[in-house]
Amino acid sequence: MPFMEVANSGLMYGIAIAIIAFVLLQSVIFLVKAWKEAKRIGMDQKMLRQAAASSAIFSVVPSLPIIISLFAMMPILGIPLPWIRLSVIGSASYELVAAESAAKGLGYATLAEAATGDAGAFSAIAIVMTVGIIWGLIFSTFYQKKLQTTMSTIRDKDTTWAVIMVDCLFVGLAAAFGGQMIATGGVTLLTLVTSMAFMAGLTALSKLPGLKWMESFAMSLAMVGAMGMAILYTGWLA
Amino acid sequence: MSEANLNVKKEKPVLPPYEQSLHRLGRITGIAAILVFLAVPAAICLYFDAWPDMSGLLSGIVAVSSVYLPIGIIEVFNYSPMLGAGGSYLAFVTGNLANMKVPAAAAAMKAVGAQPGTKEGELVSTIAVAVSSIVTTVVIILGVLLLVPLTPVIKSPALAPAFDNVLPALFGALGVMLVAKRWYIAVVPLAIMTVVFLFGAPGNLVGLMVPLASVIAIAYARILYKTGKVKK
């Protein structure tokens, strides 16, 4: 059977729907569990709703590049496999690298060439994309309890230091990406700085009377504003 | 040290009921996720009788895993303390940690004033990661359903620079949020990372540099903490 017929077969759509249902169910189970526990320990329900709203509003904009990746992968891998892969572990950049490595391992010059092959090429690509990124999930599943217990021990010993240490992990994330973007320069750096300026401005505005609602939208607004400016910067620097 | 003290030290810490059941749930759903994900290629092979060439397959798996196995393990160490147990169990199933789940959790904790690494922070982070996973999944479903009308927008050359710059737009805003409180710690890892990337490190290694930047931040913060220059 040809590659593309398997890639866009009814079975693949069926599997995609089952995986999406699994991911949604798991998310709902954890959401309900955390919400109930938060209620039990007396956390304010309004605060929890605000946390959920903040996450929902924020998550829309970073989801858009995933759609773009889906569109980029579709002509080569069909619709269901990219749909599955982009809905679970991994990221857009990973999926194409993994698929390309699988194609090369099979002796094809490019992924696009593999897509002209047979069903065996498609199954090999699906296996490599799945297995290649599964390690973090395996490690998290079996090691998470030990890791969190170690964190609790650090917390019990010195709460202040534990809080600073976790803050430092967030700082490390921002510093690594920030450093890479500063070094890249050009439109990347200008967009980064613009987003920082928008975020600082919106945060300051949200502290004014009557503008508290803006706090939840600040990050998304800053991102969209900076992305809009990126179009202008690209035009200017071209 | 007395024998009684030694015995106390040897005892394993007893987790509270919520944490116990959370880890049980995390392991069950984690194992289920591993099996379900592996079932996808297995179903393709069985249903279509499409068995791949083994040597080619192995070389592909080795090539990808040699990079992503260490990254996977490092990510668990790096992101789990930030997300807490519930958020981590979920985030390692749904992926997109650095560019989605961790910022979503950070934004939610900041929005409600919950401290990362505390029980409240852990619960807020779990809620944020769960909601973020649902939103992303729904956005992708909409993308698939609206394939035809969305294509001209998504592929529009005019909008391409905006979509190409989602990450700097995200990390600019996130940076202000994350670093504002600890800017005096951030300057050191940020300066080192900038130099590292200016003098050779390829940009696509940024994921691997996150733990290094975190270790630098922790080491510097420890010095400041020990000398009383950093407070809660």
Side-chain angles (χ1 to χ4, degrees), chain B residues 129-142:
Chain B
V129 173
V131 170
S132 176
S133 302
I134 294 169
V135 168
T136 307
T137 309
V138 171
V139 169
I140 301 175
I141 292 173
L142 290 175

Side-chain angles (χ1 to χ4, degrees), chain A residues 33 37 55 89 123 155 158 167 195, chain B residues 21 50 93 117 119 128 169 225:
Chain A
K33 191 170 178 63
E37 176 67 5
S55 177
I89 351 168
S123 65
R155 253 196 306 277
D158 187 345
D167 280 350
S195 178
Chain B
S21 73
V93 169
K119 169 103 182 190
Y225 182 62

Side-chain angles (χ1 to χ4, degrees), chain B residues 184-202:
Chain B
Y184 51 93
I185 295 173
V187 286
V188 174
L190 181 66
I192 293 174
M193 285 296 118
T194 305
V195 171
V196 165
F197 284 107
L198 270 176
F199 295 97

Side-chain angles (χ1 to χ4, degrees), chain B residues 67-85:
Chain B
V67 177
Y68 285 93
L69 194 151
I71 289 181
I73 293 173
I74 289 169
E75 281 192 339
V76 175
F77 275 107
N78 201 83
Y79 295 130
S80 297
M82 300 153 96
L83 296 171

Side-chain angles (χ1 to χ4, degrees), chain B residues 3-92:
Chain B
E3 198 178 304
N5 277 344
L6 281 173
N7 285 340
V8 168
K9 274 207 153 179
K10 274 179 195 166
E11 275 176 20
K12 273 192 170 179
V14 180
L15 292 173
Y18 171 75
E19 277 74 12
Q20 289 272 24
S21 73
L22 183 66
H23 286 300
R24 200 178 314 119
L25 177 70
R27 283 199 176 169
I28 292 169
T29 53
I31 292 169
I34 294 165
L35 294 177
V36 167
F37 296 166
L38 292 176
V40 176
I44 297 168
C45 293
L46 288 168
Y47 187 83
F48 295 104
D49 198 20
W51 299 95
D53 165 58
M54 281 312 279
S55 65
L57 176 68
L58 279 178
S59 94
I61 290 177
V62 170
V64 178
S65 297
S66 60
V67 177
Y68 285 93
L69 194 151
I71 289 181
I73 293 173
I74 289 169
E75 281 192 339
V76 175
F77 275 107
N78 201 83
Y79 295 130
S80 297
M82 300 153 96
L83 296 171
S88 299
Y89 280 122
L90 202 49
F92 281 98

